[in-house]
């Protein structure tokens, strides 16, 4: 309490002319990240365009995928819950904001009294407008509580935007994964057909003594392995579809599902112009973290206001009469006005402890904000590293798969002409299948990398006019 005694005269003077806000002036901390995106061999992203981040409807090119995303935005239950949480937070803000205005209620009463000694019954009629206890917010306590509620509401909107962006990215990746696993399934079916044909030829050769039993069993082994792989990918495709329908929140028509991996389902990667600190501030999770700082800053004002007097007003205005017909006649009016002042003298250190807690919470919110920015920078840097290397990997995988296919063809020809052992054919075939599987996986990574960079830059989080019709408190600018 002693630390505030010197400012009491100033506060008293300001109270005569208007309300005082005891919350500290809010200043956004400097972003604790580098001023440029990472550079080096892993970040050769010269092909990444630098322009405004497109909306998701422009980013997604495949019309089937667009329809699946729309289904998810309409039916996903997690997103629906976050939208309802926005409504709850908005209502809570409305309740808190109502404390800025006095509460007035109308009342009417007929008090009846009967006296047995005189056998007389009397009536007392009254009608009034009453103002319940209304706090004059000289020191900004109510306004800062309202600011807190406003920031909580806006944070719920940020959470909705974050959830929407994550959902869109998850739907795209799940759709691409389904296509990739269907491509893997087709590869295994082709492999099985080839291996069954090889097994038939080896079996015929074995009957005529041209092939050994070892070669026969090796051929049988690879054929069985292909059947097992097919079963595995049939299961994976079913699970991929289940995961996609869970995200969509409804059954998805087969016509909207990919038959194979589509590499052109989305636009290539975009990197908005500007410094990292400027670009990252568009992410709703960072906006939410900053709102947490503003709310914590406001609560310091609430805690400081507890050291100063609280002034409340209670009043009523109305009319009363013993006769209903004279209720609003001359001389029946009345009014009452009751101001009250509460000055904290001794709280056992509770107010000081509450202020210290509020200051600590503000520092926690600032550290959380800085950590959120650093995590976002790392996510974008990782995505850029993928963009800087994935094309080289994809090119190498493609060349490797082509070479493995040609090597298999040559080894098969050599075996048919008796110039190679069957083990050479089996090794070449396993290498070919493995190379083609790795190629499909890398193609999926190529397609998913576009989505990842789009997501970590804040893409897909646009919500129509978030908080546009919400009146602001005006405590902070």
């Amino acid at each position: 309490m002693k630390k505030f005694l010197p400012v009491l005269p100033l506060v008293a003077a300001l109270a005569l002319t208007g309300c005082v806000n005891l919350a500290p002036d809010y200043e956004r901390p400097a972003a604790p990240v580098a001023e440029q995106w990472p550079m080096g061999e892993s970040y050769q992203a010269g092909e990444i365009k630098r322009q405004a981040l497109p909306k998701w409807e422009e980013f997604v090119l495949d019309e089937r995928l667009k329809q699946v995303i729309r289904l998810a935005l309409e039916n996903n239950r997690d997103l629906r819950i976050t939208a309802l949480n926005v409504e709850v937070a908005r209502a809570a803000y409305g309740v808190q904001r109502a404390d800025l205005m006095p509460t007035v209620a109308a009342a009417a009463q007929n008090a009846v009294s009967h006296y047995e000694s005189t056998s007389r019954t009397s009536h007392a009629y009254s009608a009034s407008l009453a103002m319940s206890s209304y706090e004059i917010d000289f020191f900004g306590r109510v306004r800062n509580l309202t600011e807190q509620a406003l920031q909580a509401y806006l944070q719920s909107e940020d959470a909705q935007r974050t959830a929407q962006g994550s959902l869109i990215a998850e739907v795209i990746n799940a759709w691409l994964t389904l296509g990739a696993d269907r491509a893997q399934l087709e590869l295994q079916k082709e492999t099985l057909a080839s291996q069954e044909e090889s097994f038939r030829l080896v079996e015929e050769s074995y009957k005529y003594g041209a092939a050994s039993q070892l070669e026969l069993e090796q051929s049988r082994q690879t054929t069985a392995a292909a059947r097992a792989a097919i079963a595995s990918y049939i299961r994976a495709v079913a699970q991929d579809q289940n995961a996609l329908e869970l995200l969509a929140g409804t059954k998805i028509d087969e016509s909207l599902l990919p038959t194979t991996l589509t590499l052109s389902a989305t636009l290539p990667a975009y990197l908005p112009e500007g410094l990292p600190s400027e670009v990252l501030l568009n992410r709703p999770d960072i906006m939410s973290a900053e709102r947490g700082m503003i709310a914590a800053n406001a609560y310091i004002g609430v805690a400081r206001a507890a050291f100063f007097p609280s002034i409340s007003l209670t009043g009523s205005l109305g009319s009363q009469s013993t006769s209903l017909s004279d209720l609003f006649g001359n001389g029946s009016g009345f009014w009452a006005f009751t101001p009250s002042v509460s000055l904290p003298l001794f709280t056992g250190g509770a107010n000081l402890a509450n202020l210290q807690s509020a200051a600590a919470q503000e520092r926690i919110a600032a550290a959380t904000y800085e950590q959120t920015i650093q995590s976002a920078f790392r996510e974008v840097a990782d995505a850029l590293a993928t963009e800087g290397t994935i094309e080289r990997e994809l090119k190498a995988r493609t060349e490797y798969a082509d070479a493995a296919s040609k090597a298999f063809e040559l080894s098969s020809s050599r075996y048919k002409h008796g110039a190679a052992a069957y083990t050479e054919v089996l090794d070449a075939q396993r290498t070919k299948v493995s190379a083609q599987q790795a190629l499909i996986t890398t193609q999926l990574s190529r397609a998913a990398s576009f989505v990842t960079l789009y997501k970590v830059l804040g893409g897909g989080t646009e919500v129509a006019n978030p908080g546009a019709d919400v009146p602001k408190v005006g405590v902070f600018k």
Side-chain angles (χ1 to χ4, degrees), residues 350-373:
N351 286 346
L352 181 58
N354 192 40
L355 177 58
Q356 291 172 340
S357 174
Q361 290 296 328
E362 194 274 337
R363 292 193 294 271
I364 291 173
T368 301
Y369 171 76
E370 292 173 345
Q371 182 186 46
T372 304
I373 286 185

Side-chain angles (χ1 to χ4, degrees), residues 313-327:
L313 302 177
T314 302
S316 61
L317 173 68
S319 179
Q320 60 184 8
S321 174
T322 58
S323 172
L324 181 60
S325 59
D326 295 331
L327 179 59

Side-chain angles (χ1 to χ4, degrees), residues 18 21 53 107 136 146 206 251 258-259 265 293 325 351 357 409 415:
N21 182 21
L53 206 63
I136 300 178
T146 305
Y206 176 71
K251 185 72 176 176
T259 56
M293 284 194 299
S325 59
N351 286 346
S357 174
E409 293 174 2
Y415 173 72

Side-chain angles (χ1 to χ4, degrees), residues 72-347:
L73 294 178
E74 293 173 4
N75 299 289
N76 181 269
R77 297 312 189 267
D78 288 335
L79 188 61
R80 186 174 298 177
I81 290 171
T82 61
L84 292 173
N85 284 334
V86 172
E87 295 185 20
V88 171
R90 178 188 173 92
Y93 166 64
V95 170
Q96 179 60 52
R97 189 172 184 273
D99 287 345
L100 292 171
M101 304 296 293
T103 300
V104 179
Q109 183 178 355
N110 176 17
V112 182
S113 302
H114 178 76
Y115 304 93
E116 292 186 358
S117 59
T118 60
S119 297
R120 184 171 63 86
T121 301
S122 64
H123 295 265
Y125 298 94
S126 65
S128 64
L129 294 176
M131 180 180 69
S132 60
S133 181
Y134 168 62
E135 179 179 348
I136 300 178
D137 196 26
F138 277 136
F139 305 105
R141 189 188 76 87
V142 177
R143 293 180 70 82
N144 280 307
L145 285 173
T146 305
E147 179 70 24
Q148 262 195 310
L150 171 62
Q151 297 305 322
Y153 162 61
L154 295 176
Q155 279 185 305
S156 70
E157 282 197 332
D158 293 333
Q160 181 188 12
R161 294 173 57 207
T162 299
Q164 176 176 302
S166 297
L167 176 62
I168 290 173
E170 288 175 7
V171 169
I172 297 173
N173 283 328
W175 194 85
L176 292 171
T177 300
L178 174 59
D181 281 342
R182 283 184 165 177
Q184 295 278 19
L185 177 59
E186 288 303 312
L187 170 63
Q188 293 301 327
K189 288 180 177 179
E190 293 173 3
T191 301
L192 176 61
S194 174
Q195 289 174 339
E196 286 179 335
E197 176 63 19
S198 296
F199 178 71
R200 187 186 65 79
L201 294 175
V202 172
E203 189 176 36
E204 287 293 323
S205 299
Y206 176 71
K207 289 180 181 179
Y208 294 102
S212 67
Q213 185 175 1
L214 175 60
E215 292 175 329
L216 177 65
E217 295 305 324
Q218 287 175 328
S219 181
R220 191 196 308 276
Q221 175 187 348
T222 56
T223 303
R227 291 197 183 101
I230 287 176
S232 174
Y233 280 110
I234 288 176
R235 179 173 64 251
V237 166
Q239 292 173 342
D240 291 343
Q241 189 166 344
N242 292 338
L244 185 58
E245 290 184 347
L246 176 62
L247 291 171
T250 186
K251 185 72 176 176
I252 302 176
D253 190 89
E254 181 62 33
S255 63
L256 301 180
L257 300 178
T259 56
T260 189
L261 178 59
T262 304
L263 295 178
S264 58
T266 68
L267 288 174
Y270 283 85
L271 186 61
E273 291 284 1
L275 300 176
S277 57
E278 298 170 345
V279 173
L280 294 177
L281 288 178
N282 292 322
R283 284 181 40 146
D285 58 335
I286 293 178
M287 291 182 181
S288 177
E290 182 173 13
R291 298 191 202 285
M293 284 194 299
I294 296 174
N297 198 73
Y299 190 69
I300 292 177
V302 176
R304 287 178 175 176
F307 288 89
F308 296 92
S310 173
I311 303 174
S312 300
L313 302 177
T314 302
S316 61
L317 173 68
S319 179
Q320 60 184 8
S321 174
T322 58
S323 172
L324 181 60
S325 59
D326 295 331
L327 179 59
F328 298 103
N330 293 331
S332 63
F334 73 90
W335 62 269
F337 178 67
T338 309
S340 64
V341 179
S342 175
L343 177 64
L345 297 178
F346 178 73
T347 61

Side-chain angles (χ1 to χ4, degrees), residues 419-436:
Y422 189 65
T423 54
E424 180 182 306
V425 178
L426 293 177
D427 288 340
Q429 189 174 52
R430 279 192 292 265
T431 300
K432 172 192 172 184
V433 173
S434 177
Q436 290 176 330

